Amino acid sequence: MKTSSYNPSTLETAFAKALENLKDEIQTQVGDITITGVDCFDMEDNPRLIFKFHDKDQDKHEIVVRIIQRSDDDL
């Protein structure tokens, strides 16, 4: 597959949506921490997701995942 645009690429966008859809599966892996939401910015250059959590003490936490596809020429 030749990538014609990287801002964002089709692969980056699809990967961001796939991660967002895996929220429930990820929840089963993080123990006592509850995922309270996921903000998906899949149309940005280098899409990002913000996973929002509450721990067992109800403290809030966030994890940011940034998706960057390398240029085909770099591989």
Side-chain angles (χ1 to χ4, degrees):
M1 166 177 93
K2 195 70 169 168
T3 304
S4 60
S5 174
Y6 290 92
N7 297 320
S9 73
T10 304
L11 180 56
E12 288 174 329
T13 301
F15 199 84
K17 284 294 190 187
L19 280 177
E20 181 181 29
N21 291 335
L22 288 172
K23 178 184 97 136
D24 293 336
E25 180 65 27
I26 293 168
Q27 176 64 68
T28 66
Q29 303 293 317
V30 294
D32 291 338
I33 298 172
T34 302
I35 297 175
T36 59
V38 179
D39 295 332
C40 182
F41 302 94
D42 60 323
M43 296 310 294
E44 292 182 348
D45 182 19
N46 302 328
R48 66 187 162 99
L49 294 98
I50 302 172
F51 286 81
K52 299 178 180 194
F53 302 89
H54 281 141
D55 63 20
K56 63 182 178 180
D57 298 323
Q58 294 303 306
D59 295 326
K60 295 178 181 178
H61 304 279
E62 291 185 348
I63 298 282
V64 178
V65 178
R66 173 91 52 186
I67 300 166
I68 302 169
Q69 181 181 355
R70 293 187 175 168
S71 167
D72 297 345
D73 297 333
D74 293 340
L75 302 177

